[in-house]
Amino acid sequence: MGSENSSPPASPPPPPPEYDRPWRSKNWSEDGQKLLKTVTNFQPGNPEVNPLRILLHGPVGAGKSSFFNSVNSALQGRITTRALANSTLNAEKTFTLECKTYKVKNSDTGSFFPFTFTDIAGMDKTIGIKTDDIKKLLNGHINDGYTFNPVKPITEEDPKYNKNPILKDKIHCLVAVLPANTVSGIDEKIIKQMREVREKARDLGIPQVIIMTKVDEVCPLVKNNLKKIYTSKKIKQKMEECSNSLGVPVSCIYPVQNYHEENTTNTTADILILDALKNIVNFANDYVEDQVDS
């Protein structure tokens, strides 16, 4: 009888949204200028392969063009929009159709940084870029300016097809861009295509990393304070999802917040972007040096 009035057992408290200690070390007070100096002073190990070529790929609306713009903004110290990016409100179709390679200008010297970013059409389960085109791009067969055909991949007869690429024409680091807010819902067909590209890069010895965008949209803690990114349980969980999807180790996954509505840069966002850039460039340089040595 007494059980009718007894209170239900108390539910366990929800897990805390963050860890007591950061799971990736970062000195926010010093790293900004240190990272900028490291990237600014970087020179490829082989001057014959200059610039290093970095390829951005991923689903439609993941933030590939926005990531390049954010890198450029962090290096220039002001917001830039050189790569035209689509609004997140209309991201169901790719906005990038042309194979476009961007140089990044060093405002201190007036010359260009020794690395470029190649931006391509987003991957879509129906009308996106063909996987075969990305594989040919990795091998250096597609010249800048090629317009992707969603119906058929490039052929050797195309004037933008490079039949005899050398090391400097090839991609030196493959960067997958995945959105944290929708990574768990990406169509399996797209994940399969991205795995195929990753496996091709692996067979070629090309290093791969993941840039995880839109971190502010999955974790209120991080949205309120970006410096919480490396203590957030939600962010680490999403990084593990990215790792499981493509097979890239968590150590090679970099969470960032792209610039999209800001009109000025901020140090914390710059540190995350420049840290990712530093590692991407180093991986690309390691690959080039390995190819030369062999």
Side-chain angles (χ1 to χ4, degrees):
M1 292 178 61
S3 61
E4 294 180 2
N5 296 323
S6 61
S7 301
S11 58
E18 61 177 318
Y19 296 97
D20 293 332
R21 296 182 179 180
W23 40 267
R24 184 176 287 179
S25 61
K26 183 58 57 186
N27 188 335
W28 300 105
S29 62
E30 295 180 2
D31 279 359
Q33 287 302 314
K34 183 178 178 182
L35 282 166
L36 184 59
K37 184 177 180 180
T38 298
V39 173
T40 301
N41 292 339
F42 171 80
Q43 288 297 325
N46 179 5
E48 293 182 7
V49 186
N50 186 347
L52 299 173
R53 299 190 66 205
I54 300 159
L55 173 62
L56 303 175
H57 81 120
V60 171
K64 298 180 298 299
S65 300
S66 294
F67 176 65
F68 166 73
N69 285 334
S70 297
V71 167
N72 196 46
S73 297
L75 291 172
Q76 305 302 327
R78 60 180 177 84
I79 297 297
T80 64
T81 56
R82 289 180 56 206
L84 296 179
N86 208 358
S87 164
T88 55
L89 298 176
N90 184 29
E92 64 273 6
K93 292 184 179 180
T94 184
F95 197 66
T96 304
L97 298 175
E98 188 180 352
C99 179
K100 178 72 173 176
T101 297
Y102 293 95
K103 295 180 179 180
V104 184
K105 194 166 188 178
N106 185 332
S107 57
D108 291 337
T109 64
S111 59
F112 292 98
F113 284 100
F115 49 82
T116 62
F117 283 86
T118 298
D119 191 20
I120 59 175
M123 303 182 85
D124 183 87
K125 61 182 179 180
T126 55
I127 59 170
I129 185 173
K130 295 295 182 183
T131 306
D132 285 348
D133 277 344
I134 304 181
K135 292 178 181 178
K136 290 185 175 70
L137 187 55
L138 290 173
N139 265 317
H141 287 299
I142 299 181
N143 291 330
D144 201 36
Y146 173 70
T147 300
F148 295 101
N149 186 333
V151 178
K152 63 177 182 178
I154 193 172
T155 64
E156 292 189 16
E157 289 70 37
D158 194 287
K160 291 292 183 180
Y161 189 90
N162 180 358
K163 293 183 179 179
N164 300 299
I166 58 178
L167 182 58
K168 72 178 183 65
D169 302 319
K170 299 180 179 182
I171 295 301
H172 307 126
C173 187
L174 175 67
V175 177
V177 181
L178 291 176
N181 61 332
T182 58
V183 62
S184 56
I186 296 175
D187 191 277
E188 185 56 34
K189 290 182 180 178
I190 297 175
I191 293 297
K192 183 179 179 181
Q193 291 172 14
M194 295 184 71
R195 286 192 192 124
E196 288 178 12
V197 172
R198 182 186 180 277
E199 288 167 4
K200 179 63 176 179
R202 178 202 63 200
D203 294 343
L204 295 170
I206 297 172
Q208 306 122 48
V209 306
I210 293 175
I211 295 296
M212 191 178 79
T213 60
K214 305 186 181 182
V215 293
D216 52 320
E217 296 187 29
V218 295
C219 182
L221 187 78
V222 171
K223 186 171 185 176
N224 291 330
N225 183 359
L226 192 54
K227 290 182 180 179
K228 294 285 189 180
I229 196 165
Y230 291 139
T231 58
S232 166
K233 287 190 171 184
K234 190 69 174 179
I235 295 301
K236 191 173 184 187
Q237 174 195 335
K238 290 297 180 180
M239 290 172 66
E240 289 166 352
E241 286 184 30
C242 290
S243 176
N244 293 334
S245 294
L246 296 185
V248 174
V250 171
S251 60
C252 294
I253 299 176
Y254 303 95
V256 302
Q257 181 173 313
N258 285 339
Y259 291 117
H260 53 92
E261 59 184 19
E262 298 82 0
N263 55 20
T264 58
T265 58
N266 81 73
T267 302
T268 306
D270 281 356
I271 287 174
L272 293 172
I273 292 163
L274 292 172
D275 183 53
L277 175 62
K278 177 196 72 174
N279 285 284
I280 289 169
V281 168
N282 283 337
F283 293 152
N285 192 51
D286 290 342
Y287 166 73
V288 168
E289 291 185 340
D290 288 344
Q291 298 303 302
V292 172
D293 291 342
S294 62

